[in-house]
Amino acid sequence: MRYFAPGEPRRLELVTTAPLTPEHKPVLVVDYGAQYAQLIARRVREARVYSEIVPHTLSTEAILAKNPAAIILSGGPSSVYAEGAPSVGADLFEAGIPVLGICYGFQAMANALGGTVAETGLREYGSTQTTFNGDARSLLAGAEKAPNVWMSHGDSVSEAPAGFEVLATTAGAPVAAFANEAKRLYGVQWHPEVKHCEFGQDILENFLYNGAGLKADWTAGNIAEEQIEHIRTQVGDGKAICGLSGGVDSAVAAALVQRAIGDNLTCVFVNHGLLREGEAEQVEKDFVAATGAKLYIADERERFLTALDGVTDPETKRKIIGREFIRAFEAAEIAILKQEAGKGEPVKFLVQGTLYPDVVESGGGEGASNIKSHHNVGGLPEDLDFELVEPLRTLFKDEVRAVGRELGLPEEIVGRQPFPGPGLGIRIIGSVNEERLTLLRKADAIARAELTAAGLDEEVWQMPVVLLADVRSVGVQGDHRTYGHPIVLRPVSSEDAMTADWSRLPYDLLSKISNRITNEVDGVNRVVLDVTSKPPGTIEWE
């Protein structure tokens, strides 16, 4: 490890592996403030085509500099004729790049090319019947003539630009879809990315495959091969450490790097004392057995609990945990170097399992707002002396699972429910101490065991169990008045954690979980169910 001289500036080096090869030019999703921009990118990935999100503030020159294979203009809350509304330059449509406009993006395209967009007073929200006109074209091929699509608009395109054919209409939208086949320009007023939209994915795939002529070759195998090669290019003969958290992300990231550089990777499992019941043992047994990677175990429970003592603010807790992770890695590196004295260069690279939703929600995407900090993205100390290797930075969770399976990781690892890097530290509302952690571990273990016994692990994306440590309520247990803590169950269904809905668990299951927790966990006398979707809530409470 290199130590800084007194007064020497310290710096954070964010060097990430590039996700692309020349064969995988991105489909750019231009974000006009849509709640579904990430979902559009996700649907493109489902079609096995690589996508990235960029802000609408990028100039046409900057967009084209990214060498896109195609462009999708997202929806948004503005009116194209309102002062200060986002716009798109007509020159974008003269660049020869296939473009699909969705909702606001459709209207912005029409407006830029000389069509007419107006407030007709005929708003359409939710499921709306549409009529497809004439023969099937490349965009609507294979779809029924009158499907129910998903609308969310007040303004409408009343006249298509010159050279465009009107493909569909609705009661509130005289021009609900159009196309200029010669220029490979298309647009729809509805949201094909929403699951409730009939033929939505088919329409997106028609644009990608027929309109843009792209191939469905963004696969788990290709992703793994490309990332392994990129890691070898970045790291070379250098040494790397990877912090294993027990979750899917860090395990898959470590497996990729281990495949790329072999014994030059040492995995560091930091037991920060914020893990769920049995997780430390699972990391030590399952991961090493599957990969053969070198594993160094650092017992840092005292470090983290001391740093978190008395801290209640969630963002402060996240940043403390992120900071102490890095400090623990640095301490682990010293120990590793002592073990390998004289065996070569010091460790230079730090592997992290950062995912695309982490980047977007932490404000790390271009133009993205900061929904929450993440210890992998926004909570790193400024004096970090590692280069980061982040092979999963462009991937959604299910893509990570697919890559893990491609690498041969066992289902016990790749099939696990997501678990945040800060661990139970952010599932305790209030300050963190060993007594509260023990209580929460017991409640969490019961809830997970019963969910598994009910055969619902695959149906429920994630079920955080939350302790309201600073809240107490009156209860009656064993003919005695109690003053105990509430436990919150937060079961959610999702595809990628960008959006989520609460899972409708069977009442009998909820009753069994509640009875077991209140009977078996001292200090808990109430179990409540969180029935909030995302948005407006996040999956985790803190």
Side-chain angles (χ1 to χ4, degrees):
M1 167 178 282
R2 183 177 72 81
Y3 291 95
F4 293 96
E8 180 184 357
R10 298 186 175 196
R11 82 280 186 230
L12 172 68
E13 294 185 81
L14 293 178
V15 182
T16 62
T17 54
L20 300 177
T21 65
E23 292 75 28
H24 281 124
K25 297 193 295 183
V27 172
L28 296 182
V29 178
V30 181
D31 184 3
Y32 285 95
Q35 61 177 320
Y36 296 134
Q38 292 84 14
L39 191 55
I40 296 171
R42 181 66 196 83
R43 296 289 179 250
V44 175
R45 302 281 189 93
E46 283 185 3
R48 295 185 177 182
V49 176
Y50 182 72
S51 63
E52 291 181 3
I53 301 170
V54 297
H56 66 82
T57 52
L58 285 188
S59 65
T60 296
E61 181 182 12
I63 290 175
L64 297 180
K66 291 181 175 291
N67 196 24
I71 297 168
I72 299 178
L73 309 179
S74 84
S78 303
S79 295
V80 294
Y81 47 77
E83 184 177 354
S87 61
V88 57
D91 53 344
L92 180 68
F93 307 109
E94 300 299 328
I97 306 296
V99 180
L100 171 65
I102 293 175
C103 194
Y104 182 84
F106 166 63
Q107 296 174 5
M109 178 190 293
N111 189 60
L113 294 175
T116 303
V117 181
E119 183 178 5
T120 64
L122 298 174
R123 299 181 178 183
E124 293 176 318
Y125 297 100
S127 183
T128 304
Q129 188 173 35
T130 186
T131 301
F132 290 172
N133 305 323
D135 297 331
R137 299 289 179 174
S138 63
L139 188 66
L140 306 180
E144 294 179 356
K145 294 296 184 181
N148 288 314
V149 298
W150 195 260
M151 289 285 197
S152 181
H153 71 100
D155 300 335
S156 298
V157 177
S158 57
E159 183 178 353
F164 281 74
E165 178 184 2
V166 177
L167 300 181
T169 60
T170 69
V175 182
F178 59 40
N180 184 323
E181 295 283 355
K183 293 187 174 182
R184 298 191 295 175
L185 303 177
Y186 309 89
V188 294
Q189 180 61 69
W190 61 87
H191 288 274
E193 71 274 19
V194 175
K195 282 291 188 183
H196 305 313
C197 183
E198 293 182 356
F199 301 100
Q201 186 67 16
D202 295 309
I203 289 170
L204 286 173
E205 292 182 4
N206 282 341
F207 167 68
L208 297 170
Y209 304 152
N210 302 335
L214 303 180
K215 296 180 180 179
D217 57 2
W218 179 250
T219 65
N222 285 341
I223 295 169
E225 291 173 6
E226 291 173 8
Q227 286 302 331
I228 289 168
E229 191 57 40
H230 287 306
I231 294 164
R232 286 173 178 156
T233 300
Q234 181 190 357
V235 178
D237 294 330
K239 293 183 177 181
I241 61 173
C242 176
L244 289 176
S245 67
V248 179
D249 307 337
S250 64
V252 174
L256 278 169
V257 177
Q258 197 275 338
R259 187 72 62 89
I261 65 174
D263 285 345
N264 277 354
L265 171 70
T266 299
C267 294
V268 179
F269 173 56
V270 176
N271 186 352
H272 52 23
L274 306 174
L275 297 170
R276 296 180 293 188
E277 192 172 284
E279 286 185 317
E281 295 78 9
Q282 184 185 52
V283 171
E284 186 172 0
K285 181 187 69 170
D286 294 341
F287 180 78
V288 174
T291 64
K294 294 190 297 185
L295 178 63
Y296 177 89
I297 299 175
D299 188 344
E300 297 283 2
R301 288 174 289 183
E302 184 176 351
R303 172 200 291 269
F304 282 85
L305 287 179
T306 300
L308 291 168
D309 185 36
V311 179
T312 59
D313 178 71
E315 286 300 291
T316 303
K317 284 197 288 186
R318 284 179 178 271
K319 291 183 183 298
I320 287 173
I321 294 168
R323 181 194 70 208
E324 295 305 320
F325 256 110
I326 298 301
R327 297 299 170 242
F329 288 146
E330 291 175 335
E333 186 194 23
I334 293 173
I336 292 168
L337 286 176
K338 287 181 178 178
Q339 291 179 356
E340 300 187 4
K343 293 184 180 179
E345 294 295 321
V347 177
K348 181 181 179 182
F349 298 93
L350 171 62
V351 182
Q352 290 198 145
T354 308
L355 303 192
Y356 198 38
D358 299 333
V359 175
V360 172
E361 293 196 349
S362 300
E366 294 175 282
S369 62
N370 190 354
I371 297 173
K372 62 184 179 183
S373 69
H374 188 280
H375 80 273
N376 280 358
V377 183
L380 292 172
E382 294 181 357
D383 58 351
L384 175 64
D385 192 28
F386 293 111
E387 290 184 11
L388 297 186
V389 180
E390 296 180 299
L392 311 180
R393 189 179 176 89
T394 60
L395 303 184
F396 289 94
K397 177 71 76 172
D398 60 334
E399 292 173 317
V400 173
R401 295 188 196 279
V403 170
R405 293 184 177 102
E406 182 73 21
L407 294 171
L409 291 179
E411 197 62 29
E412 289 79 9
I413 292 177
V414 296
R416 288 193 61 201
Q417 287 190 359
F419 186 61
L424 298 180
I426 60 167
R427 291 185 179 178
I428 294 176
I429 311 303
S431 61
V432 179
N433 58 44
E434 189 58 48
E435 180 182 355
R436 291 174 171 182
L437 286 165
T438 299
L439 186 155
L440 181 53
R441 282 194 192 98
K442 291 179 179 179
D444 175 83
I446 290 170
R448 287 190 291 138
E450 292 299 336
L451 191 70
T452 299
L456 296 177
D457 282 336
E458 293 187 6
E459 293 184 31
V460 176
W461 167 270
Q462 190 174 358
M463 190 167 73
V465 177
V466 180
L467 170 64
L468 304 185
D470 290 342
V471 177
R472 289 182 180 270
S473 65
V474 176
V476 178
Q477 293 172 296
D479 296 326
H480 294 285
R481 177 188 174 93
T482 61
Y483 199 49
H485 297 289
I487 283 287
V488 180
L489 303 180
R490 174 65 167 141
V492 296
S493 300
S494 181
E495 293 184 335
D496 49 37
M498 301 303 297
T499 60
D501 195 11
W502 64 281
S503 302
R504 275 63 169 177
L505 298 183
Y507 290 155
D508 288 347
L509 174 59
L510 291 171
S511 176
K512 189 170 185 180
I513 292 173
S514 177
N515 288 339
R516 283 197 60 191
I517 289 176
T518 54
N519 288 336
E520 299 176 29
V521 182
D522 291 337
V524 175
N525 62 2
R526 194 177 298 271
V527 175
V528 299
L529 179 66
D530 183 345
V531 295
T532 312
S533 63
K534 176 188 179 182
T538 55
I539 293 177
E540 298 289 344
W541 271 47
E542 290 199 343

